[in-house]
Amino acid sequence: MSTITTAAVVESAGAGFTLSQVELADLRPDEVLVRMVAAGICHTDLSVAQGALPFPMPGVLGHEGAGVVEAVGASVTRVRPGDEVLLSYTSCGRCASCHDGHPAYCETWLPANLIGGRRLDGSATIARGGHDVGGHFFGQSSFAHHAIADERGVVKVGPGAPLDLLAPLGCGVMTGAGAVWNVLHPRPGSTLLITGAGAVGLSAVMAATMTPATRIIVADRVEDRLRLARELGATDTIDTTVTDLAGEVSRLTGDRGVDGAVESTGNAGVLRTAISTLAVRGTAVIVGAPAFGTEVPVDVNFMIPGRHVVGLTLGDTEIEALVPVLAGLMAAGRLPVDRLITHYRFDEIAAAVEDVAAGKTIKPVLRFDQPDRRSPPARSDARRPEPMSPRRGTGPTS
């Protein structure tokens, strides 16, 4: 049985999102059909929608999904219909990185998650009017009332879990937390610098407060975000619109520099500055992704005293290991991700995107209210795209 559902389709690069009826393919043995309850919007979604990263258009994006399992493929064992789940990236499970416990560095990662728009065998998961639509984004394409997800990208959570608060765990939150916990491993007394107080940067702040680091410095250009960073545990903040970043870090650390830096803005100049603030044996983690081909020069002699620059994908996280821990920390009140979230109805996706661009919201999360329906395979009567509602979402959850 295929599924007729409503998705937010990007018709062409820069065209924005429009609601359109699409048809999901039949499930493969290792796939899961999920009725979406919520989906976070990430900057990667917006970059792809603008054409900054290659993806087949028209296409359906979304990679921080949360919902309820409606059907499973014949070989699926992780979940069953009725389970509440979070969706994250997919991986092959067979390559050296997957076997070593680092599936975020799977050999198939780019085509399977970011730029392929199809399953690895070339088949499409989404169609409209008899034509294939780009899908399988991060193994899910969750900007739709229903999504086909790879089993390896599905994590079960407890019944009654607040899915509209947990949705960002599948990308932004685990990326920020993983940068601190899986890469920097702060020692007692460590000093950390986090550039960018968006969802990833603030998740890194929250994670850092659970380590022996004693100084957590956050840099951004928006005072409201810096204020929130202080409330979440930052010991120092730097408004880079009025203060030189490198000079202020030098002052705060007595010219020693920082032991670890998390660069989440995707700005090459900010990355270069963050690297320049490293102490001897310090590590800078590249999280924010600029356009393909971006280069940052470094002074080789500066790097020789044990300094490191490390690229990071999705927190170097094994999702079944970390995502339930993050959900537990949220339930215990130790990881207040709700402070970052603004909720919008699914048909307000255009307003959510506008608010992100204007800096009015940190982590928009879409809520899905009306489920669509399962339909026989022969049915494929796709509707013309309909425009988004201009009404804004609710205020920040706190």
Side-chain angles (χ1 to χ4, degrees), residues 56-76:
M57 300 292 184
V60 180
L61 306 175
H63 64 284
E64 291 182 342
V68 179
V69 175
E70 287 204 341
V72 300
S75 66
V76 170

Side-chain angles (χ1 to χ4, degrees), residues 31 114 217 331:
E31 293 177 337
L114 190 59
I217 306 168

Side-chain angles (χ1 to χ4, degrees), residues 184-273:
L184 294 182
H185 305 292
R187 300 182 301 275
S190 290
T191 294
L192 305 183
L193 169 65
I194 297 163
T195 52
V200 173
L202 292 174
S203 295
V205 171
M206 290 185 280
T209 64
M210 298 182 225
T211 73
T214 55
R215 177 158 246 160
I216 304 168
I217 306 168
V218 178
D220 201 279
R221 299 173 59 85
V222 180
E223 177 53 36
D224 285 346
R225 295 189 175 196
L226 293 173
R227 184 180 304 111
L228 179 56
R230 291 191 291 272
E231 293 172 3
L232 294 174
T235 59
D236 305 272
T237 56
I238 302 172
D239 183 344
T240 57
T241 64
V242 296
T243 304
D244 176 69
L245 175 57
E248 184 63 5
V249 170
S250 180
R251 186 189 70 80
L252 290 171
T253 62
D255 295 327
R256 177 181 176 274
V258 298
D259 300 294
V262 178
E263 202 307 287
S264 68
T265 70
N267 181 292
V270 175
L271 172 59
R272 177 68 188 93
T273 302

